[in-house]
Amino acid sequence: MDKISEEQWSEQIKKNKGTKYKLTPEDFTKLVNRSLGAIRGQGKILFIDEGQDCHPLERDILLLLWEKKNIVVCTGGREQLIRHNEECNWKYLDTEQKVIHNIIEIKKRNRTFRMKQNIVELCNFIANEFQINLDLSAIHSSSNDDKGTVIIEMNDPHHHKLKNTVNKLQQVGKYNDLSNYESILFLTESESQSLFDQGKLVQDIQINGNNNVIYSKSVKSKRSHLTKLTGIPEDQFFLHNQTMYRDDEEQRNEDEEQRNEDEAPTAETYRSLFYESCRGLEAWSVVCLELDLFYERKKREETAASYLSDDLYLSEDERRQKYAATWVLMALTRPIDTLYIQINDPNSELGAILAKYLAQA
């Protein structure tokens, strides 16, 4: 409110017909209370997922606006932190140092209703290697159940085998009567040199260290080679924050303009996303390309050095490893039936761990 102009303020309150609100904290409070009054009065419920990743101030604001009523929070442990370095405590108000009233707490076992047994075992193995308390268990009714499939490819750095693998996954999707959207989810490393060409400079939205939205014009758009590498036609691919590769410059520009119109994936499109965008998503088969490059990039990030900052016994290298491994596990827990992992360098840190897994599997 300190930064907003009178003109901007007037634009924001146009929806409140016939009501004059001044640019003051007091009038802003009145405006908020009026807006939320109907919601509170109707007894609607606020659902918050991934509550462990909220900032304490975000939590306090939500509790204040909702008057601590009708809030359901799904919160994981510190091993699922992505946005922040410390787990948000939803039981206590920092400002008052007392328990939030009327708490009903329900604890559940760390079970997955999505992933099959073999995928769960791989995730647990990787988590244990990094001393992350994942401890997942899969839901299955008998020892004869299909336990799912894990495919680890460490001898194809240029993706020559990818088309054949994708063809098999497509057949699996058709056999199970799945739409393209449900069938395969492709996860890619945004800094890949083999999957993308660097395009023209574009305006990009980023989040800074204080979780504020900032704008940058120094980021290049991506032109994906996936349609060539997989054999999937262009009209069957939805590339989130990526632009389909074209040889013709004019046609590429038209494609970029078209895809900037916020079009959404359909049942007929296979999705391709950067790893950072996959949280909360799922597919029957998930293809993780150049996973070791993603791990190494996350490990180098500035945030990784202060990850789990409340644990004084961790070295900086351990913090970086756990931070990067947590991102990797987020990607590996997206599939239902089949997980395909491609590693560029078998001698990389993550490659060595997967080689160890293959040796004992």
Side-chain angles (χ1 to χ4, degrees):
M1 290 187 63
D2 293 339
K3 304 281 173 42
I4 195 171
S5 68
E6 290 284 353
E7 292 76 17
Q8 290 173 312
W9 176 249
S10 298
E11 284 293 321
Q12 293 297 321
I13 63 172
K14 274 184 178 179
K15 295 180 181 179
N16 296 276
K17 299 176 181 179
T19 306
K20 299 288 186 181
Y21 290 98
K22 298 178 182 177
L23 183 53
T24 63
E26 292 77 17
D27 271 22
F28 179 71
T29 301
K30 293 178 183 178
L31 178 60
V32 170
N33 286 333
R34 177 179 175 179
S35 300
L36 288 175
I39 297 175
R40 291 167 176 163
Q42 294 173 13
K44 292 186 177 180
I45 298 173
L46 172 66
F47 286 92
I48 303 170
D49 197 11
E50 306 292 355
Q52 76 280 353
D53 251 334
C54 281
H55 190 282
L57 290 177
E58 293 174 321
R59 173 204 60 198
D60 292 351
I61 289 170
L62 290 168
L63 292 174
L64 177 65
L65 294 179
W66 231 260
E67 296 181 339
K68 307 177 188 176
K69 299 175 183 177
N70 296 346
I71 299 179
V72 176
V73 182
C74 298
T75 177
R78 65 206 299 259
E79 71 279 355
Q80 297 184 47
L81 288 173
I82 294 294
R83 291 180 65 224
H84 296 290
N85 297 326
E86 296 184 23
E87 182 182 351
C88 183
N89 190 334
W90 282 88
K91 296 182 184 179
Y92 298 90
L93 272 179
D94 292 342
T95 53
E96 301 176 18
Q97 292 296 313
K98 65 181 181 181
V99 178
I100 300 170
H101 67 279
N102 297 336
I103 289 181
I104 301 174
E105 184 176 6
I106 301 173
K107 292 185 177 181
K108 68 179 184 68
R109 293 180 60 187
N110 209 14
R111 293 173 132 186
T112 172
F113 291 86
R114 174 172 59 236
M115 296 181 290
K116 293 186 177 179
Q117 183 67 32
N118 288 337
I119 303 171
V120 167
E121 289 178 359
L122 171 63
C123 292
N124 282 333
F125 180 88
I126 293 175
N128 290 336
E129 287 293 307
F130 290 97
Q131 297 183 342
I132 295 173
N133 183 30
L134 188 63
D135 195 26
L136 277 177
S137 63
I139 302 297
H140 53 86
S141 58
S142 73
S143 58
N144 295 324
D145 281 348
D146 177 11
K147 295 184 178 181
T149 303
V150 173
I151 305 168
I152 300 175
E153 176 58 70
M154 294 199 283
N155 298 303
D156 187 27
H158 301 293
H159 314 290
H160 295 312
K161 302 177 185 178
L162 183 58
K163 185 178 293 187
N164 184 54
T165 300
V166 168
N167 182 261
K168 292 178 180 178
L169 296 181
Q170 287 176 305
Q171 296 304 315
V172 170
K174 291 177 182 178
Y175 177 80
N176 288 282
D177 199 25
L178 300 173
S179 67
N180 292 345
Y181 180 97
E182 298 166 318
S183 180
I184 309 175
L185 170 64
F186 295 86
L187 300 180
T188 58
E189 163 52 26
S190 59
E191 299 303 315
S192 170
Q193 299 300 310
S194 59
L195 294 178
F196 305 104
D197 277 350
Q198 299 296 319
K200 64 180 182 181
L201 294 178
V202 295
Q203 188 178 61
D204 188 44
I205 298 176
Q206 299 179 356
I207 308 296
N208 67 12
N210 297 317
N211 286 302
N212 296 322
V213 176
I214 57 176
Y215 293 89
S216 170
K217 291 187 178 180
S218 62
V219 178
K220 291 185 176 181
S221 62
K222 309 288 183 181
R223 297 197 187 104
S224 176
H225 292 284
L226 273 179
T227 186
K228 290 182 176 180
L229 294 170
T230 62
I232 296 176
E234 295 178 11
D235 60 355
Q236 292 182 23
F237 238 134
F238 173 80
L239 302 169
H240 180 63
N241 285 344
Q242 305 160 33
T243 304
M244 191 70 72
Y245 178 84
R246 292 289 188 100
D247 292 325
D248 179 72
E249 181 67 28
E250 183 177 348
Q251 183 62 57
R252 279 203 299 262
N253 292 337
E254 291 180 8
D255 289 345
E256 288 176 9
E257 292 175 4
Q258 177 65 33
R259 291 186 178 274
N260 283 336
E261 294 179 358
D262 296 328
E263 62 181 73
T266 69
E268 301 307 315
T269 54
Y270 297 95
R271 292 165 291 166
S272 175
L273 312 172
F274 295 139
Y275 280 107
E276 282 91 344
S277 300
C278 74
R279 190 174 193 168
L281 302 179
E282 66 180 23
W284 188 259
S285 300
V286 172
V287 174
C288 294
L289 298 172
E290 302 177 335
L291 188 60
D292 54 326
L293 300 185
F294 173 64
Y295 170 83
E296 294 296 336
R297 179 169 63 81
K298 299 308 287 187
K299 189 177 173 183
R300 292 192 301 269
E301 287 184 355
E302 183 179 350
T303 308
S306 57
Y307 185 64
L308 300 179
S309 55
D310 57 331
D311 191 336
L312 302 179
Y313 293 99
L314 293 176
S315 67
E316 180 179 326
D317 192 50
E318 288 172 327
R319 294 182 199 280
R320 290 183 178 277
Q321 288 176 328
K322 288 178 181 290
Y323 175 79
T326 299
W327 277 98
V328 165
L329 288 169
M330 183 181 75
L332 298 185
T333 52
R334 300 305 97 207
I336 297 171
D337 177 83
T338 303
L339 172 62
Y340 173 83
I341 300 172
Q342 185 261 331
I343 297 294
N344 262 29
D345 181 7
N347 297 317
S348 63
E349 189 172 332
L350 186 61
I353 289 174
L354 290 174
K356 183 178 177 181
Y357 169 79
L358 289 173
Q360 60 88 53

